[in-house]
Amino acid sequence: MGRLAQTDGLTEIQRDILATVRDFVDKEIIPVATELEHRDEYPTQIVEGMKQLGLFGLTIPEEFGGLGESLLTYALVVEEIARGWMSVSGIVNTHFIVAHMINAHGTQEQKEYFLPRMAAGEIRGAFSMSEPGLGSDVSAISTKGVRDGDEYVLNGQKMWLTNGGTSTLVAVLCRTDEGAATPYRNMTTFLVEKTPGFGPNPTVPGLTVPGKIEKMGYKGVDTTELVLQDVRVPADRILGGVPGKGFYQMMDGVEVGRVNVAARGCGVARRAFELGISYAQQRSTFGKKISEHQAIQFKLAEMATKVEAAHQMMVMAARKKDGGERNDLEAGMAKYLASEYCKEVVEDAFRIHGGYGFSKEYEIERLYREAPMLLIGEGTAEIQKMIVGRRLLEEYRIAE
């Protein structure tokens, strides 16, 4: 390991977990990632390996069969996984968000029912908030849940579900319009169980996952729509048991998800730096290694500084959340900085590779297509800046 992206103050258990994951990434993910990505093939064997390592239960409390680790541990694990292949980190991210939401907001019955099987990887979670016409305006949500006795009837169309096909549990945000004063208190999160697969779901009448959305990058993991047509969900599958709290539950999930996306940006950027500095010492021009050219040394220095800065910002945001403090400012900063720096570091590594960076034989080509997703995942850069700006005005408001 190089000296970049090191984290001070880790426990021996945390260091052991990261060493194990790093070894798994080097042996089981990096050698096959590009081939699987080019085929857009789901990494079944890698997922089975992560199950055996207990990664699906990393943050789930020990009383429910998990490892009970912190958000920081999880973020550092995600950074390592994304260094190998960002799509694999996406497979665990939405699962992690749903598990976090159930643990933080679920009823005791929901925790006991879902979390042990989520920890084992038997139940795999997906997170469904976005819609085709929604963008960043969550208040414009149109998918509805209408009460009918002891059930709710759900109708609408959701978009951009990571793990939409392979998941067996989807946390779905719907409008329930049960009399609250603001649209944000008229939203409810439903825990919808289903069987994996595409097309009409055989066990949930009215639920359809049409198929994978074709993407520029972020391949291997399935990204889908979700169509709900008179889908009936028992009222006891409202997250927390009480309607009207869905927006705030989802925002809590998105907040930890932003730390995750920052960690993914750190991992991809670190891998791009590794590829760039390695290639620079192999390729020769004008009679010497290109790493000996001052222009390339400047580029490597800038790349390394961005890798380090993004990593430390991500660690700070995770530690704030673990400490029970409000961290929307730090999470927004970390997500914004890490995703922007990731794009820049990947592009610099691409430039170092020259023409070969455009070839599918080289790993940097895959990273170049993957980095843009981080600019929009869990909220665009503009949304992060809006969140950060508002929080700064709260913190630095002058007396009138």
Side-chain angles (χ1 to χ4, degrees):
M1 286 180 59
R3 65 183 297 170
L4 291 183
Q6 299 298 301
T7 309
D8 293 332
L10 297 181
T11 66
E12 185 176 350
I13 291 175
Q14 287 174 313
R15 290 195 296 270
D16 288 345
I17 289 172
L18 290 175
T20 299
V21 172
R22 191 176 301 118
D23 185 63
F24 178 78
V25 168
D26 288 339
K27 292 180 179 177
E28 306 295 334
I29 297 182
I30 290 177
V32 300
T34 296
E35 180 182 352
L36 292 175
E37 196 271 350
H38 287 168
R39 296 204 303 256
D40 197 7
E41 181 177 325
Y42 188 79
T44 302
Q45 289 186 327
I46 292 173
V47 169
E48 288 301 314
M50 291 195 299
K51 282 184 185 179
Q52 293 174 15
L53 291 177
L55 297 187
F56 285 98
L58 188 62
T59 60
I60 292 174
E62 292 181 12
E63 64 182 294
F64 298 115
L67 298 179
E69 277 295 327
S70 63
L71 176 60
L72 174 62
T73 306
Y74 178 77
L76 295 174
V77 165
V78 165
E79 182 180 25
E80 292 295 339
I81 293 173
R83 174 182 156 267
W85 183 13
M86 193 184 73
S87 293
V88 177
S89 66
I91 291 171
V92 295
N93 179 41
T94 52
H95 176 88
F96 156 71
I97 291 176
V98 176
H100 168 80
M101 290 169 61
I102 293 173
N103 186 54
H105 306 288
T107 65
Q108 188 63 27
E109 184 273 336
Q110 289 168 351
K111 294 178 186 180
E112 292 174 355
Y113 179 80
F114 287 113
L115 292 180
R117 289 189 290 160
M118 294 185 80
E122 296 170 7
I123 289 180
R124 301 250 296 286
F127 174 84
S128 180
M129 181 170 63
S130 186
E131 296 181 2
L134 193 62
S136 300
D137 183 10
V138 182
S139 67
I141 189 172
S142 61
T143 298
K144 290 195 70 173
V146 178
R147 183 112 193 194
D148 184 17
D150 293 333
E151 297 179 318
Y152 279 77
V153 181
L154 311 187
N155 281 281
Q157 182 181 6
K158 309 299 281 187
M159 194 72 174
W160 305 118
L161 276 76
T162 300
N163 297 328
T166 50
S167 61
T168 54
L169 172 66
V170 186
V172 184
L173 185 66
C174 300
R175 280 179 50 206
T176 42
D177 293 341
E178 293 184 304
T182 71
Y184 299 106
R185 295 189 182 275
N186 274 309
M187 299 183 200
T188 300
T189 303
F190 293 91
L191 301 173
V192 181
E193 293 183 84
K194 68 179 186 67
T195 51
F198 300 99
N201 199 269
T203 58
V204 184
L207 187 148
T208 302
V209 179
K212 292 199 298 186
I213 298 170
E214 294 295 327
K215 301 165 299 201
M216 174 177 71
Y218 197 41
K219 294 178 179 290
V221 61
D222 50 296
T223 306
T224 74
E225 299 174 69
L226 182 71
V227 179
L228 304 139
Q229 188 170 17
D230 294 332
V231 172
R232 290 187 168 269
V233 180
D236 64 6
R237 285 297 175 259
I238 290 175
L239 179 60
V242 179
K245 297 184 177 181
F247 174 78
Y248 305 98
Q249 294 163 346
M250 285 275 175
M251 289 304 102
D252 182 33
V254 167
E255 195 171 280
V256 295
R258 283 177 180 144
V259 175
N260 171 283
V261 173
R264 284 198 255 179
C266 292
V268 174
R270 182 147 57 95
R271 183 59 179 166
F273 172 78
E274 290 170 357
L275 295 172
I277 198 167
S278 174
Y279 186 82
Q281 295 172 79
Q282 298 171 44
R283 179 70 188 272
S284 296
T285 61
F286 303 102
K288 59 183 178 181
K289 301 294 184 184
I290 63 172
S291 59
E292 297 175 29
H293 292 288
Q294 191 178 61
I296 298 299
Q297 291 176 9
F298 283 177
K299 198 175 290 292
L300 291 171
E302 292 169 0
M303 291 163 67
T305 302
K306 290 172 181 177
V307 168
E308 185 68 19
H311 173 85
Q312 298 303 337
M313 179 71 80
M314 177 270 291
V315 168
M316 180 181 68
R319 282 184 161 146
K320 279 271 188 182
K321 187 74 170 179
D322 284 333
E325 299 180 64
R326 182 176 177 180
N327 85 327
D328 53 345
L329 175 67
E330 290 79 11
M333 285 180 168
K335 192 276 173 183
Y336 168 61
L337 190 79
S339 58
E340 294 291 334
Y341 276 180
C342 175
K343 172 184 70 76
E344 294 170 9
V345 172
V346 167
E347 182 171 333
D348 281 342
F350 177 85
R351 290 171 182 268
I352 287 172
H353 280 74
Y356 288 108
F358 208 62
S359 168
K360 286 197 171 187
E361 294 180 19
Y362 283 75
E363 191 177 340
I364 192 63
E365 179 270 344
R366 169 170 61 81
L367 271 59
Y368 193 77
R369 288 184 290 103
E370 288 178 339
M373 197 285 289
L374 298 171
L375 299 173
I376 54 176
E378 313 295 5
T380 62
E382 290 72 23
I383 289 294
Q384 307 312 315
K385 288 189 280 188
M386 186 172 69
I387 292 168
V388 170
R390 287 175 177 172
R391 285 286 287 115
L392 290 172
L393 286 170
E394 289 179 23
E395 293 285 341
Y396 289 88
R397 190 170 302 280
I398 60 174
E400 295 182 358

